[in-house]
């Protein structure tokens, strides 16, 4: 009977086969070298009271990468010194089965990913007796409590106590995507296409931001596991994380949609900016064409061996030159970019790593993920301090290409009042764009052996004429 229940109600959520997880753990052991690695899975996250949790439960990505299982309340141990691997967790009792259905035993879950040893969670302390314990920087408070109970390290000290050797090993492995991972991201980007083209076809005056944002989210829930981050859909494109409001779309304005999905444990992340009426004004087209050119330039130059920081600043110089042509900037282009004047229009970096996390591995520390010994971040200069990816590109990296131009009234006012970069910015001319909003175009890019390519089988319309025709010919 138990086998029949399992057959009828249980579908394994493993993304890859057992050998993948065995191989990954073996490589991790070799990279770390000694000690005990402890990888904490996530627990349920209550929304507003304990039994009302966010669904579906989001597993920790690094735990998924090495142990594959999505169930809550699990901890993976890789004991390098004793050459043992353990999966710890408590079996589900019948009361939970009544409410949630059949769940395999911890030993069954372990067997699926090639782990021999299992134990209840209360034995965690017994399995971590080595003085050399490697753990990753925690980002959830319940995990911080687990670490404090296990190792006696106060939560405020845990990030600095996390194992740099383990962080670097995980980044090395997860940064370069295997072909099966690339295939998964391609599939996620195909759902991203459906999400964004739906938004493009629904955009018209009078429809609310919230309605279209909800339709976009619904596609992610219907065709994938859900969104990879909270959907940004707003006529205030100058707000980097502008969530949908109840405001109706207004003729003459632009609306920005930044959205992605998670499918088979991997993410998509695209951005498109659309004219509410379906046609760009001349002023909008002039700015949009600059962002389009910057976006397409990345596709020409991104390849193994090129530093993404250099690509970022090349884009900033191209943007500055084009803004000078419109009379919004002035002076020597190289000096303007060196001074950070471009950051009034582009206050973020060109892109970031993407994979199992939409900002892949960002919780491990961006200095480890987006930079290397040769390329270090500049955390002092406004705008440049938000560059998440600067290191040399390698084959198998997945990065976003997302330039933008934004007119942020509060930032314009502050810089003008202080005289910051006044020798490079034509503030009088900028005033005419005060209520412009913002434009961003974003795609997910795979670094290949000799260049790069878009991810996903279909390209979400973004060239101006193509976008206008798509919106006009397919409007709902």
């Amino acid at each position: 009977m138990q086998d029949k229940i399992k057959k009828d109600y249980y579908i394994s959520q493993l993304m890859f086969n057992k050998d993948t997880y065995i191989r990954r753990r073996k490589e991790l052991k070799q990279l770390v070298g000694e000690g005990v690695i402890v990888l904490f899975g996530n627990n349920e996250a209550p929304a507003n009271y304990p039994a009302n949790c966010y669904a579906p439960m989001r597993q920790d990505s690094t735990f998924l990468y090495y142990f594959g299982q999505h169930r809550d309340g699990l901890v993976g141990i890789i004991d390098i010194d004793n050459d043992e691997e353990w999966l710890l967790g408590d079996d589900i009792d019948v009361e939970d089965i009544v409410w949630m259905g059949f769940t395999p035993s911890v030993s069954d879950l372990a067997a699926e990913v090639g782990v021999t040893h299992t134990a209840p969670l209360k034995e965690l302390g017994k399995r971590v007796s080595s003085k050399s314990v490697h753990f990753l920087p925690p980002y959830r408070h319940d995990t911080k409590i687990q670490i404090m109970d296990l190792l006696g390290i106060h939560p405020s000290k845990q990030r600095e106590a996390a194992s740099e050797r383990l962080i670097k090993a995980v980044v090395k492995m997860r940064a370069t995507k295997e072909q099966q991972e690339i295939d998964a991201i391609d599939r996620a980007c195909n759902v991203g296409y459906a999400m964004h083209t739906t938004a493009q076809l629904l955009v018209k005056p009078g429809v609310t931001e919230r309605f279209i944002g909800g339709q976009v989210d619904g596609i992610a829930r219907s065709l994938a596991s859900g969104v990879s981050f909270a959907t940004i859909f707003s006529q205030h494109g100058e707000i980097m994380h502008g969530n949908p409001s109840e405001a109706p779309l207004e003729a003459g304005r632009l609306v920005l949609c930044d959205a992605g999905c998670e499918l088979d444990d991997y993410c998509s992340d695209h951005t498109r900016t659309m004219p509410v009426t379906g046609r760009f004004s001349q002023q909008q087209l002039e700015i949009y064409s600059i962002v389009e050119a910057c976006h397409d330039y990345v596709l020409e130059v991104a390849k193994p061996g090129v530093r993404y920081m250099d690509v970022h600043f090349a884009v900033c110089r191209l943007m500055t030159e084009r803004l000078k042509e419109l009379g919004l900037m002035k002076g020597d282009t190289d000096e303007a970019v060196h001074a950070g004047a471009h950051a009034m229009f582009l206050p973020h970096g060109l892109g970031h790593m993407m994979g199992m996390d939409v900002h892949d591995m960002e919780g491990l520390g961006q200095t480890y993920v987006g930079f290397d010994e040769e390329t270090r971040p500049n955390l002092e200069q406004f705008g440049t301090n938000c560059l998440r990816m600067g290191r040399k590109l390698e084959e198998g990296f997945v990065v976003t290409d997302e330039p933008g131009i934004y007119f942020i009234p509060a930032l314009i006012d502050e810089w003008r009042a202080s005289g910051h970069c006044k020798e490079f910015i034509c503030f009088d001319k900028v005033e005419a764009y005060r209520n412009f909003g913002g434009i961003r175009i974003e795609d997910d890019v795979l670094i290949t052996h000799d260049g790069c390519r878009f991810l996903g089988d279909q390209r979400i319309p973004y060239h101006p004429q193509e976008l206008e025709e798509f919106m006009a010919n397919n409007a709902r």
Side-chain angles (χ1 to χ4, degrees), residues 351-392:
H352 51 80
M353 288 273 204
M354 196 190 74
M356 300 183 82
D357 308 306
V358 69
H359 289 180
D360 210 22
M361 301 174 283
E362 189 169 289
L364 303 185
Q366 204 58 50
T367 301
Y368 297 110
V369 178
F371 297 88
D372 52 27
E373 297 302 321
E374 177 186 349
T375 307
R376 308 307 295 164
N378 178 349
L379 302 178
E380 305 302 321
Q381 187 181 64
F382 176 80
T384 306
N385 60 358
C386 292
L387 181 62
R388 291 188 170 98
M389 177 64 186
R391 63 188 288 190
K392 276 186 179 178

Side-chain angles (χ1 to χ4, degrees), residues 14 42 60 77 94 99 163 187 232 241 331-332 338 357 375 379 408 413 435 442:
L14 280 185
N42 282 338
D60 176 77
I77 294 178
V94 71
W99 290 99
S163 169
R187 292 193 294 272
I232 298 164
H241 292 167
D332 182 83
H338 181 74
D357 308 306
T375 307
L379 302 178
I408 306 168
D413 291 343
N435 297 317
E442 176 184 14

Side-chain angles (χ1 to χ4, degrees), residues 38-179:
V38 184
L39 298 177
F40 292 88
N42 282 338
N43 300 305
E44 291 278 13
N48 53 347
Y49 56 89
N52 189 24
C53 296
Y54 290 100
M57 199 278 297
R58 180 55 164 90
Q59 185 60 281
D60 176 77
S61 296
T62 300
F63 180 87
L64 274 178
Y65 188 83
Y66 294 104
F67 285 91
Q69 298 293 359
H70 291 77
R71 211 207 84 175
D72 63 304
L74 300 175
V75 178
I77 294 178
I78 302 173
D79 187 336
I80 303 171
D81 299 335
N82 294 308
D83 195 25
E84 292 181 351
E85 297 173 348
W86 291 76
L87 185 65
L88 277 70
D90 298 328
D91 286 331
I92 301 301
D93 61 26
V94 71
E95 291 188 14
D96 288 323
I97 292 174
V98 167
W99 290 99
M100 304 302 293
F102 175 81
T103 299
S105 67
V106 174
S107 61
D108 284 344
L109 294 174
E112 284 187 342
V113 293
V115 173
T116 304
H117 304 288
T118 63
L121 205 54
K122 66 182 180 181
E123 293 189 16
L124 180 58
K126 296 181 182 179
R127 305 302 161 197
V128 185
S129 57
S130 169
K131 292 182 179 179
S132 180
V133 178
H134 303 278
F135 65 90
L136 297 173
Y139 55 91
R140 289 195 175 191
H141 291 91
D142 49 352
T143 304
K144 293 179 180 181
I145 293 171
Q146 285 181 288
I147 293 173
M148 183 167 65
D149 289 344
L150 179 65
L151 302 174
I153 304 172
H154 191 275
S156 65
K157 304 293 184 183
Q158 289 173 9
R159 174 163 283 276
E160 62 189 63
S163 169
E164 184 175 43
R165 197 186 313 172
L166 178 59
I167 291 170
K168 289 182 175 180
V170 170
V171 170
K172 178 179 176 62
M173 292 183 65
R174 286 182 56 189
T176 304
K177 305 300 186 284
E178 305 167 7
Q179 185 57 52

Side-chain angles (χ1 to χ4, degrees), residues 311-416:
V311 181
H312 168 82
F313 283 116
V315 163
C316 295
R317 287 190 292 272
L318 173 59
M319 180 180 298
T320 298
E321 282 290 331
R322 296 286 296 272
L323 289 171
K324 283 166 60 178
E325 293 173 7
L326 291 181
L328 298 177
M329 295 188 72
K330 59 186 178 181
D332 182 83
T333 295
D334 288 337
E335 291 180 6
V337 172
H338 181 74
H342 63 281
M344 196 185 81
F345 305 97
L346 176 60
H348 62 73
L350 180 60
H352 51 80
M353 288 273 204
M354 196 190 74
M356 300 183 82
D357 308 306
V358 69
H359 289 180
D360 210 22
M361 301 174 283
E362 189 169 289
L364 303 185
Q366 204 58 50
T367 301
Y368 297 110
V369 178
F371 297 88
D372 52 27
E373 297 302 321
E374 177 186 349
T375 307
R376 308 307 295 164
N378 178 349
L379 302 178
E380 305 302 321
Q381 187 181 64
F382 176 80
T384 306
N385 60 358
C386 292
L387 181 62
R388 291 188 170 98
M389 177 64 186
R391 63 188 288 190
K392 276 186 179 178
L393 298 171
E394 298 179 21
E395 183 178 357
F397 279 13
V398 173
V399 297
T400 61
D401 165 20
E402 50 179 307
I405 293 178
Y406 314 89
F407 294 88
I408 306 168
L411 188 61
I412 295 169
D413 291 343
E414 180 178 301
W415 283 30
R416 183 168 194 168

Side-chain angles (χ1 to χ4, degrees), residues 24-37:
R24 287 174 175 175
R25 293 193 301 270
K26 180 179 179 180
E27 183 177 347
L28 185 64
K29 286 187 230 180
Q30 293 170 343
L31 289 171
V32 175
E34 56 79 33
V36 176
I37 299 168

